[in-house]
Amino acid sequence: MQRLQLLGVWERSCQLVISLHNDLVNQLHTDLGQRLSKSVIAVSSHLANCYETKPLCESSLNAANGALGELQVHIEQAHEHNLLPLATTHNWLQEVKTLRNQVEQLLAQCHQLSPSNQSA
C-alpha cells in the first residue's frame, strides 16, 4: 500500500514538473527559472529514489519535503517578479501544499513501521 501511495505522489510531482516547464518555457533560461526547474525536478527525483529502496527511504522523503519547501519559496519569488500570474501561483502553491501533506503522511507511516517503534 505504501509503495502505491508513493507512486501516486511521484506521479503528481511529475505533473507539476510538466506544468511548471510548460508555463515557464520562456523564462527557464533566467536564474529564477533555473531555480524553479531544479527544485521541482528534485522533488520527483527524491521520490523516485525513495521508491527504489526497501523499506521506503526516510531520508529521501525528507529531502523531497525540503525540496518542496524550496520550490514554494521560488514560486513566491517568481510571482513577486511578475513571472507568474496570480492564478498560476495559487495553483502551484496549492499543489505544493498537497504534495507536502502526502509526503508527511508517508513519513508518518515510515515512523510507524520502523523497527525501533515496533519493539516498543
Side-chain angles (χ1 to χ4, degrees), residues 70-85:
E70 183 179 318
L71 177 60
Q72 179 179 341
V73 169
H74 294 319
I75 291 169
E76 291 167 354
Q77 289 175 336
H79 178 69
E80 288 173 12
H81 288 91
N82 297 317
L83 289 177
L84 296 176

Side-chain angles (χ1 to χ4, degrees), residues 18-113:
I18 292 167
S19 176
L20 187 141
H21 283 91
N22 284 342
D23 288 344
L24 291 179
V25 70
N26 294 326
Q27 286 88 20
L28 288 176
H29 65 282
T30 67
D31 182 50
L32 189 51
Q34 290 289 313
R35 286 184 280 155
L36 278 161
S37 178
K38 181 180 175 186
S39 296
V40 76
I41 290 171
V43 173
S44 294
S45 180
H46 289 301
L47 291 171
N49 183 53
C50 184
Y51 187 81
E52 293 175 358
T53 60
K54 292 182 182 179
L56 291 183
C57 182
E58 187 175 342
S59 64
S60 290
L61 286 172
N62 281 321
N65 205 20
L68 283 163
E70 183 179 318
L71 177 60
Q72 179 179 341
V73 169
H74 294 319
I75 291 169
E76 291 167 354
Q77 289 175 336
H79 178 69
E80 288 173 12
H81 288 91
N82 297 317
L83 289 177
L84 296 176
L86 183 59
T88 302
T89 301
H90 176 73
N91 290 341
W92 287 358
L93 289 175
Q94 196 61 35
E95 189 63 15
V96 167
K97 181 179 178 181
T98 300
L99 286 167
R100 285 189 92 168
N101 287 338
Q102 292 175 336
V103 168
E104 288 170 3
Q105 288 174 359
L106 287 167
L107 279 166
Q109 290 175 16
C110 284
H111 290 140
Q112 290 173 352
L113 298 174

